[in-house]
Amino acid sequence: MEDEVDSRERNVSRRRLLQSGAVLGTASVAGCFGMFNDGDGNTTPQNANVSDFRGTGPLVEGNFRGSGRLAQGRPYPGGTSINDLPDLSGDLALYIGGGEGGIYMDLIDKLESIYPDFSVEPQSAGSASLAQTIVNEVENGVSRGDVFWSIDASSLGYVADNDAYEPLSDEAVSAVGNSQFVGDDNAWAGVAGRARAVPYNTNRLSASDIPNKVQQFPETSALQGTMGWAPTYGAFKSFVTAMRLIRGDEATRQWLVDMREAGTERYGNEYAISQNVANGSLAAGFANHYYALRVKNQRPNAPLELAFTEGDAGGLVNISGAMKIQGTDKGELVDNFVRHLLSAEAQEFFATVSFSYPMIKGVEPVAGLPTVDELSPPDIQLSRLSNVQETIELMESANVSP
């Protein structure tokens, strides 16, 4: 009982710390929608080119900063500018995981417009499907791709586990600020992050109502019959896989059963969950952090906030990332391409267009979110999230159909 009280006190303290930075609330909206400065009284105009800020070399065509409410008034981005990287030149066969509503292809279009001698031939499908295709092609000696850009670490891990990759250069991955977001043997590099979070309606719940351990959710009275989840979502399956790795299969199955019996409602996707939380039909839910941001970007006065659990599967930070496919003869170009995805411009794009977590130092997340370093994700290798089939079977045994 004492441990439970201590845990709750730490939870309240952490929530207050996060809310003092105002993750999504009124203070964060006011601050984020205003004009931040760089400490010398200079402000960054909305919709200016990131390279205009840096003033290094010729101007880069195209705007890399989003134009929505949450993108306004941001400080100068840090990191290496595209202007300071070698030009992209040549053709790349890109296997790109579906998702993000075509946002990633918008970035590719920008790079192609900047570099007239660079072109990308994309093949798009689900990340898991492409990972299987890559492994099959490599095993049969008919590899057709140069680079794989997956929306999740599990698919990257599957390709790596089957030795269907070639290591990225040290130079290509050096910009990543956290070693957890680089695969063993430089198999892949994370380029954008997403954190599991708990969006909650501030008219129905306070931060202190939400435990800092996801295992405590089924027994928390304030969350009984008030939460939503999307079991068919890949991000949810990765979350359950992480729980299996941390707590074991039986404890994970029991948690799923307990949450189902506590009346957790099923939704088709996590954006719908975040919308329903904002509307008040749900008090809280399980979702990637950026869905709440997308709602808040459209409805700045929505009674919507985010909570983050600590050191468990509920605090998982997953990534989209890129890897070099075995058999490519474009290895140097792939390395340079990955360096561009980790440039100041591209990271500002991910942060302000898709509301993802940037992977490099010097580019801040939007809306006063805690940085990755301020979160408390579980200490697991993201490549181990590739074992999804056992997760699917476990979810079915708990009568939570994936």
Side-chain angles (χ1 to χ4, degrees):
M1 185 66 173
E2 185 177 349
D3 289 343
E4 182 177 343
V5 172
D6 288 345
S7 176
R8 181 56 63 89
E9 287 176 349
R10 288 194 300 272
N11 175 40
V12 174
S13 175
R14 177 171 175 77
R15 292 301 178 275
R16 287 172 179 162
L17 173 63
L18 292 180
Q19 288 192 314
S20 70
V23 177
L24 287 175
T26 304
S28 72
V29 172
C32 198
F33 293 178
M35 298 296 285
F36 291 149
N37 64 66
D38 62 3
D40 293 321
N42 300 316
T43 56
T44 301
Q46 182 190 1
N47 294 331
N49 292 337
V50 172
S51 290
D52 289 344
F53 312 155
R54 301 184 59 81
T56 56
L59 294 181
V60 172
E61 299 175 14
N63 176 20
F64 286 85
R65 172 166 287 173
S67 58
R69 294 174 182 269
L70 299 185
Q72 297 180 15
R74 285 171 58 80
Y76 292 13
T80 301
S81 170
I82 285 175
N83 291 317
D84 300 323
L85 295 175
D87 288 356
L88 289 169
S89 179
D91 302 328
L92 269 185
L94 172 67
Y95 285 8
I96 184 165
E100 296 294 339
I103 288 173
Y104 292 165
M105 285 308 303
D106 290 344
L107 178 61
I108 297 297
D109 291 343
K110 292 180 184 298
L111 293 176
E112 287 181 321
S113 70
I114 293 168
Y115 300 109
D117 295 328
F118 174 65
S119 64
V120 173
E121 299 173 9
Q123 178 176 328
S124 180
S127 289
S129 175
L130 285 175
Q132 186 64 63
T133 296
I134 290 167
V135 170
N136 291 342
E137 289 181 352
V138 170
E139 288 179 347
N140 290 297
V142 291
S143 181
R144 298 182 177 90
D146 299 310
V147 59
F148 178 32
W149 187 352
S150 170
I151 64 169
D152 63 77
S154 62
S155 297
L156 298 169
Y158 180 80
V159 175
D161 290 345
N162 286 275
D163 295 323
Y165 74 98
E166 295 183 8
L168 295 165
S169 69
D170 290 341
E171 195 173 30
V173 305
S174 63
V176 180
N178 188 318
S179 61
Q180 187 179 16
F181 305 134
V182 176
D184 289 343
D185 191 36
N186 289 359
W188 46 265
V191 299
R194 58 182 181 273
R196 296 302 290 171
V198 181
Y200 66 94
N201 185 289
T202 56
N203 290 337
R204 297 187 59 180
L205 296 173
S206 65
S208 61
D209 291 321
I210 302 171
N212 66 348
K213 296 294 183 184
V214 74
Q215 280 72 31
Q216 298 172 3
F217 281 31
E219 64 198 46
T220 300
S221 59
L223 302 180
Q224 296 283 319
T226 65
M227 293 197 70
W229 61 12
T232 62
Y233 238 43
F236 187 85
K237 294 171 192 171
S238 292
F239 154 68
V240 176
T241 302
M243 189 181 295
R244 287 181 48 237
L245 294 172
I246 297 167
R247 295 184 55 81
D249 286 0
E250 183 52 36
T252 301
R253 191 193 71 81
Q254 189 61 52
W255 183 86
L256 289 167
V257 170
D258 291 345
M259 287 301 302
R260 175 174 55 78
E261 292 180 349
T264 305
E265 295 184 42
R266 185 185 183 96
Y267 285 81
N269 61 70
E270 294 182 349
Y271 180 68
I273 290 172
S274 300
Q275 286 275 28
N276 278 275
V277 171
N279 294 340
S281 53
L282 289 174
F286 298 102
N288 284 338
H289 78 278
Y290 47 62
Y291 292 113
L293 294 180
R294 293 172 188 177
V295 173
K296 201 72 174 182
N297 196 45
Q298 299 165 349
R299 301 162 56 190
N301 296 319
L304 180 63
E305 255 292 355
L306 285 177
F308 299 88
T309 63
E310 299 179 17
D312 63 6
L316 179 69
V317 178
N318 204 339
I319 52 93
S320 82
M323 69 190 316
K324 190 185 301 182
I325 299 173
Q326 186 180 120
T328 178
D329 60 358
K330 306 284 182 64
E332 186 174 346
L333 178 57
V334 173
D335 287 333
N336 192 18
F337 175 70
V338 172
R339 292 180 69 189
H340 276 74
L341 297 183
L342 293 167
S343 67
E345 288 87 349
Q347 292 294 297
E348 182 75 359
F349 177 92
F350 293 134
T352 62
V353 177
S354 65
F355 302 143
S356 298
Y357 268 97
M359 291 283 100
I360 69 172
K361 304 291 185 183
V363 177
E364 299 179 0
V366 296
L369 283 170
T371 66
V372 168
D373 291 340
E374 293 169 331
L375 296 176
S376 181
D379 185 17
I380 60 174
Q381 290 183 328
L382 293 180
S383 59
R384 297 183 64 194
L385 299 177
S386 61
N387 191 359
V388 177
Q389 185 55 43
E390 291 184 20
T391 295
I392 291 173
E393 293 170 1
L394 184 142
M395 291 174 65
E396 291 173 342
S397 73
N399 199 23
V400 180
S401 299

